[in-house]
């Protein structure tokens, strides 16, 4: 393919180009042509990958939404039967199912919004210990298959710090939620804050759990969109 032409000129009319100049220019033109060819190839690859990603996203979304709608339909079915039989217990059971699926749909939509348009952080002075304690209280209220303890170990020397409270809250809530899910048979989740020894560069929040852990195959897919080990309970976002 012809990508273009290189035009060579001189400011002085007395200058003549030699064969060595032509050879050098030919080699340079070849290098430029290879770079352009690679750039065009990369554009085509990126386009194909983007189309594949869109297809994968649509398929994953369809699967998630289908599971959510099935849950809503099940809840509605219980509510209808409860109304027919005037059974408040069955109505309450169906309503709990609908609320859970609605919450799951909200989580899915938030995750998609974050992927499509990351929010700009808003920094403000924040009590990180209080924020983590709030997250632990929320995590301890999640339902599990066994007894799960969520323990908070604050570093009392931690001062107020400037951070994006909303972003950190969402991140920590996701981490603690995943940690609780990993302890489905019972276990303990520990959230701890660590004040910096000097300055504020090494401020840390750690989340540990005694759950199932991850094998190497799972670790390799950690950041793959829509990959989840939770079945219908997770979106992989």
């Amino acid at each position: 393919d012809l990508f273009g032409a290189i035009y060579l000129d001189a400011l002085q009319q007395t200058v003549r180009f030699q064969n060595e100049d032509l050879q050098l220019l030919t080699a340079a033109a070849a290098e430029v042509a290879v770079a352009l060819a690679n750039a065009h190839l990369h554009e085509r690859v990126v386009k194909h990958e983007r189309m594949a990603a869109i297809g994968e996203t649509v398929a994953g979304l369809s699967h998630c939404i289908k599971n959510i709608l099935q849950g809503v339909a099940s809840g509605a079915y219980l509510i209808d039967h409860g109304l027919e039989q005037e059974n408040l217990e069955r109505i309450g059971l169906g309503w709990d199912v609908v609320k859970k699926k609605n919450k799951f749909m909200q989580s899915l939509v938030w995750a998609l919004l974050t992927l499509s348009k990351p929010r700009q952080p808003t920094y403000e002075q924040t009590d990180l210990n209080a924020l983590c304690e709030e997250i632990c209280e929320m995590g301890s209220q999640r339902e599990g298959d066994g007894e799960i303890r969520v323990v908070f170990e604050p570093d009392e020397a931690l001062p107020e710090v400037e951070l994006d409270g909303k972003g950190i809250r969402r991140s920590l809530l996701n981490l603690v939620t995943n940690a609780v899910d990993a302890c489905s048979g019972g276990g303990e989740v520990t959230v701890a804050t660590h004040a910096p020894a000097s300055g504020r560069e090494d401020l840390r929040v750690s989340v540990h759990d005694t759950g199932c852990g991850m094998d190497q195959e799972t670790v390799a897919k950690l950041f793959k969109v829509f990959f989840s080990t939770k079945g219908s309970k997770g979106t992989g976002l």
Side-chain angles (χ1 to χ4, degrees), residues 127 129 152-159 193-195:
D127 185 342
N129 278 337
F152 177 44
E153 297 179 351
D155 187 335
E156 300 299 342
L158 184 68
T193 55
H194 308 271

Side-chain angles (χ1 to χ4, degrees), residues 52-125:
I54 290 173
E56 183 181 358
T57 301
V58 170
L61 275 176
S62 300
H63 179 71
C64 291
I65 293 172
K66 180 191 71 174
N67 289 333
I68 295 171
L69 293 178
Q70 285 176 344
V72 172
S74 299
Y77 175 80
L78 290 173
I79 292 173
D80 287 340
H81 271 256
L83 289 172
E84 289 176 3
Q85 301 170 5
E86 297 184 355
N87 186 331
L88 290 178
E89 183 178 353
R90 179 160 289 193
I91 292 173
L93 183 62
W95 184 236
D96 284 341
V97 172
V98 171
K99 286 194 295 184
K100 286 179 182 178
K101 294 304 176 182
N102 181 61
K103 186 176 180 181
F104 190 83
M105 178 66 84
Q106 287 178 330
S107 175
L108 175 64
V109 171
W110 272 109
L112 287 171
L113 287 173
T114 302
L115 278 178
S116 62
K117 187 180 180 181
R119 58 179 289 274
Q120 292 298 316
T122 302
Y123 297 100
E124 56 188 359
Q125 290 295 117

Side-chain angles (χ1 to χ4, degrees), residues 140 142-150 180 183-189 210:
S140 62
R142 285 180 57 85
E143 296 180 1
D145 299 333
E147 184 179 350
I148 302 172
R149 296 179 63 241
V150 180
V180 171
C183 299
S184 58
E188 184 172 284
V189 176
T210 59

Side-chain angles (χ1 to χ4, degrees), residues 11-68:
L11 294 176
Q12 299 177 10
Q13 293 182 354
T14 56
V15 173
R16 289 189 177 185
F17 296 108
Q18 307 297 321
N19 284 333
E20 290 81 2
D21 299 317
L22 180 61
Q23 292 172 4
L24 178 61
L25 188 61
T26 301
E31 290 295 322
V32 172
V34 169
L36 288 172
N38 286 336
H40 289 181
L41 179 62
H42 178 70
E43 286 179 359
R44 289 198 294 270
V45 169
V46 169
K47 183 178 180 181
H48 291 158
E49 288 181 348
R50 186 178 294 117
M51 294 302 296
I54 290 173
E56 183 181 358
T57 301
V58 170
L61 275 176
S62 300
H63 179 71
C64 291
I65 293 172
K66 180 191 71 174
N67 289 333
I68 295 171

Side-chain angles (χ1 to χ4, degrees), residues 211-237:
C212 59
M214 293 185 289
D215 57 26
Q216 290 303 312
E217 184 179 353
T218 302
V219 172
K221 297 179 180 178
L222 192 61
F223 296 103
K224 183 177 176 61
V225 177
F226 295 114
F227 170 76
S228 176
T229 59
K230 301 180 187 179
S232 61
K233 294 182 179 180
T235 63
L237 294 173

Side-chain angles (χ1 to χ4, degrees), residues 192-211:
T193 55
H194 308 271
S198 60
R200 295 189 177 183
E201 290 77 11
D202 56 349
L203 172 67
R204 289 184 295 119
V205 178
S206 60
V207 180
H208 299 271
D209 66 74
T210 59

